[in-house]
Amino acid sequence: MLRLALTPRWMAWHVLTLGAMVACGFLSAWQWHRAGEAMGSALNIGYGVQWPVFAVFFGVMWWRFLRLEARRLAGTDVDEHAPVPTESAPVQQERAPAPAVPVVKDEGPSPFGVRRTAVPEPDEEENPQLAAYNRMLAELAERDDGR
């Protein structure tokens, strides 16, 4: 990960993240200073508390993006799944006692991840309203292309 962190692209991200965090620190100090003045209010105190939270958010997101990029380069992308093993011969396994916590089996790719394949077209019988809506959108796109 150190080699990745020292690339020019990531050096720019380091500088931007540190700049954002320092700016949030200065804005927090400024809001606290404003809260102590005669025209200060509880709103300034609230902003003085919010700016450090924003700074922590910048740091956490920087760390998360760095880790995701390192995983992607290592080939262990979170959206990629291992191939399903082929069954060559049945294996006899002893039945273990049921776990106290129910085990959730992987039913395929996560609906929240990146789709690696195209979404199938809706069937007329499956959802007639969606199919009609898609036909209307296609007609509008054809009319718009004709202009």
Side-chain angles (χ1 to χ4, degrees), residues 3 8 12-13 19 21 29 41 51 59 69 76 80 97 116 125 133:
R3 184 178 295 168
W13 279 113
M21 292 175 78
S41 66
W51 283 113
E69 183 74 9
T76 57
E80 295 175 6
R116 305 277 186 216
E125 296 88 33
Y133 179 70

Side-chain angles (χ1 to χ4, degrees), residues 22-72:
V22 168
C24 287
F26 281 127
L27 288 168
S28 176
W30 173 68
Q31 287 291 342
W32 278 107
H33 178 69
R34 289 279 300 162
E37 293 179 357
M39 294 298 291
S41 66
L43 185 62
N44 295 111
I45 294 171
Y47 286 142
V49 170
Q50 281 180 343
W51 283 113
V53 172
F54 294 152
V56 168
F57 173 76
F58 284 126
V60 168
M61 292 310 296
W62 167 83
W63 178 248
R64 173 125 173 92
F65 289 147
L66 185 64
R67 285 184 40 219
L68 285 173
E69 183 74 9
R71 280 190 202 152
R72 187 185 66 79

Side-chain angles (χ1 to χ4, degrees), residues 53-129:
V53 172
F54 294 152
V56 168
F57 173 76
F58 284 126
V60 168
M61 292 310 296
W62 167 83
W63 178 248
R64 173 125 173 92
F65 289 147
L66 185 64
R67 285 184 40 219
L68 285 173
E69 183 74 9
R71 280 190 202 152
R72 187 185 66 79
L73 292 175
T76 57
D77 189 5
V78 294
D79 291 329
E80 295 175 6
H81 294 282
V84 178
T86 59
E87 193 172 317
S88 59
V91 177
Q92 295 291 335
Q93 295 180 352
E94 292 184 26
R95 290 193 59 119
V101 178
V103 177
V104 178
K105 293 187 179 184
D106 186 18
E107 297 293 330
S110 169
F112 304 108
V114 177
R115 291 186 185 205
R116 305 277 186 216
T117 60
V119 178
E121 290 290 325
D123 193 13
E124 182 71 36
E125 296 88 33
E126 183 180 325
N127 193 341
Q129 288 180 330

